[in-house]
């Protein structure tokens, strides 16, 4: 994690990312989007979920079932273990019900 | 063949879309269309509200369409998905696949719908006929199973 | 649900047929249509001439439709097959299946086409672009294989 | 074969049936339809095919491959071994190419 993996990410130990939430994840979190500074130890999607859950009850409720909420990085589906390197926009949402 | 993908609030017109895809061509042997409609669930539903992830919705459906185009010899492929409030009887989603032969057109349209259901970032919330707001529609395991048929 | 079967010389209108099947209903979640068109075969074909067995054509398609209706929970089912001379780009056959859910609509339309191909008494003869009368189109083993998928 | 199996069929040893032909079977036979008197020994579809083949070269050409031509009795598909009992209209045609 010492390499700067993306030109958009600062070389420092924290990174600013945009978080966006949809459907009941958005409702439980209480907002549609926010900017956050990620500490260096938050390396994967699952790290971020656990870091958010510790913030307050809304996040804790949204991510109560860590395996249920889906995530996307820069508008592409990712798995809980995916690295946040290069992430500018991270989205969390329930399983899709379109179509 | 460049797939046509549209995410829109407005309704769509199947006949006009088929005419655009087929217009003037004489090599198409098969056109398969799928139209998804809002059901009233036995009179209990007043409307569905469709939330989506702008940007990713287009990108994800385009990725699914590229997979379909790589897999079947298609002459045309279109997907339109609406967002916003949709009343029972109204159209929600349209997929059209054209090909020289019927098997490619059927399979591509079927594949598109299975992947739209499980990968396109849309979420449905119910508005009930009694005036209350119902819950978010839950994803169905059978949709995941359907998508896995193509793996 | 009574299937609609028509054998006719005239062209047909997909949008009008869907409107008739869906008109006023709020329980339909899925509409799948298949349209079969005459291809020009790389510019070599001037027209197809479709011969049929009047009476048996209607009866056989009706039997296939009854099988589909018994097999899937359909809300509507329609099949139209043209006879006579059809030029490249023109429509030959239409199948529409409606249901609450997409799987039934897709499978029923697919099944109808496979059985129409192998059981409905129609025969295609080619009229070539050079003015000569070509041969009778030969049945394809892959159509029999496709129909056997449903057994 | 001593029973009268259909009210349309005479009780005698011969029966009158309508034969109809389609596509290249019609072209080779040289007619679209005809009435024929079937002798009693013509009991099945295949018997009829062989009886017709003996009539002239057109029929012989149409039915050269006995397994290729399809048949229908009273507008329902039948197999070569199907009995002609009750048959009023018997059709012969190539494999179907509609759809």
């Amino acid at each position: 994690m010492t390499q700067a993996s993306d030109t958009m990410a600062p070389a420092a130990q924290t990174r600013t990312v945009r978080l966006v939430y949809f459907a009941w994840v958005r409702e439980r979190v209480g907002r549609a989007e926010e900017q956050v500074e990620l500490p260096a130890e938050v390396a994967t999607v699952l790290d971020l979920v656990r870091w958010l859950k510790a913030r307050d009850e809304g996040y804790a409720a949204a991510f109560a079932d860590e395996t249920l909420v889906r995530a996307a990085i820069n508008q592409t589906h990712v798995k809980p273990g995916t690295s946040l390197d290069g992430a500018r926009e991270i989205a969390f949402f329930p399983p899709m019900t379109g179509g | 063949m460049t797939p046509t993908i549209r995410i829109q609030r407005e309704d769509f017109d199947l006949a006009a879309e088929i005419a655009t895809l087929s217009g003037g061509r004489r090599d198409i042997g098969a056109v398969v269309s799928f139209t998804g409609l809002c059901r009233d669930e036995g009179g209990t539903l007043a409307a569905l509200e469709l939330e989506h992830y702008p940007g990713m919705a287009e990108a994800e459906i385009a990725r699914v369409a590229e997979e379909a185009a790589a897999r079947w010899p298609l002459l045309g492929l279109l997907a339109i998905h609406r967002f916003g409030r949709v009343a029972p009887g109204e159209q929600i989603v349209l997929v059209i696949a054209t090909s020289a032969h019927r098997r490619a057109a059927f399979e591509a349209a079927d594949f598109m719908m299975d992947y739209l259901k499980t990968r396109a970032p849309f979420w449905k919330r119910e508005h009930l006929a009694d005036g209350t707001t119902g819950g978010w529609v839950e994803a169905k395991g059978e949709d995941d199973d359907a998508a896995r048929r193509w793996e």
Side-chain angles (χ1 to χ4, degrees), chain A, chain B:
Chain A
M1 292 297 293
T2 55
Q3 291 180 290
S5 62
D6 189 284
T7 55
M8 306 276 296
Q13 291 288 302
T14 63
R15 297 147 290 167
T16 304
V17 294
R18 181 167 180 257
L19 303 184
V20 293
Y21 308 104
F22 294 95
W24 56 253
V25 174
R26 170 178 51 72
E27 292 180 332
R28 291 182 193 174
V29 164
R31 66 192 74 190
E33 59 174 277
E34 61 185 322
Q35 300 277 342
V36 298
E37 295 284 322
L38 294 186
E41 68 271 20
V42 174
T44 68
V45 172
L46 186 56
D47 291 344
L48 175 55
V49 166
R50 288 174 179 167
W51 183 73
L52 288 169
K53 283 174 76 171
R55 292 174 99 188
D56 75 27
E57 288 175 3
Y59 293 99
F63 296 102
D65 180 348
E66 290 178 354
T67 65
L68 183 58
V69 172
R70 310 296 178 89
I73 293 179
N74 303 343
Q75 306 194 346
T76 300
H77 291 294
V78 294
K79 295 186 186 301
T82 302
S83 163
L84 300 180
D85 280 4
R88 297 177 300 277
E89 179 173 289
I90 304 166
F92 292 104
F93 41 77
M96 286 70 79
T97 55
Chain B
M1 197 282 296
T2 305
T4 301
I5 312 293
R6 293 211 301 274
I7 313 294
Q8 61 188 43
R9 187 180 291 279
E10 302 71 38
D11 197 11
F12 49 78
D13 179 341
L14 167 61
E17 300 301 340
I18 289 182
T20 303
L21 280 181
S22 328
R25 298 192 74 131
R26 296 167 153 231
D27 53 353
I28 297 173
V31 180
V32 171
S33 79
F34 175 88
T35 309
L37 304 168
C38 176
R39 296 186 307 269
D40 72 353
E41 306 296 356
T44 61
L45 192 81
L48 284 175
E49 190 182 329
L50 281 143
E51 180 168 333
H52 76 301
Y53 183 176
M56 180 168 169
E58 289 84 346
E60 193 60 30
I61 296 180
R63 282 190 279 268
V64 173
E66 278 158 32
E67 279 186 42
R71 206 157 159 164
W72 288 280
L74 303 177
L75 296 171
L77 184 60
L78 169 143
I80 300 176
H81 203 305
R82 292 178 68 191
F83 62 86
R85 192 179 172 103
V86 176
E90 282 191 63
Q91 306 183 116
I92 296 173
V93 61
L94 174 65
V95 165
I96 306 173
T98 68
S99 180
H101 300 286
R102 74 184 185 289
R103 183 105 327 273
F106 264 119
E107 291 187 358
D110 198 1
F111 170 93
M112 285 291 294
M113 281 309 305
D114 283 345
Y115 276 84
L116 271 178
K117 283 264 173 192
T118 53
R119 280 175 37 179
F122 287 84
W123 302 273
K124 293 194 186 99
R125 144 168 265 167
E126 295 183 331
H127 290 273
L128 303 183
D130 64 11
T132 63
T133 299
W136 293 92
V137 173
E138 282 197 41
K140 285 182 288 192
E142 67 191 53
D143 287 330
D144 290 325
D145 296 342
R148 269 192 289 270
R149 293 184 302 146
W150 305 101
E151 287 171 6

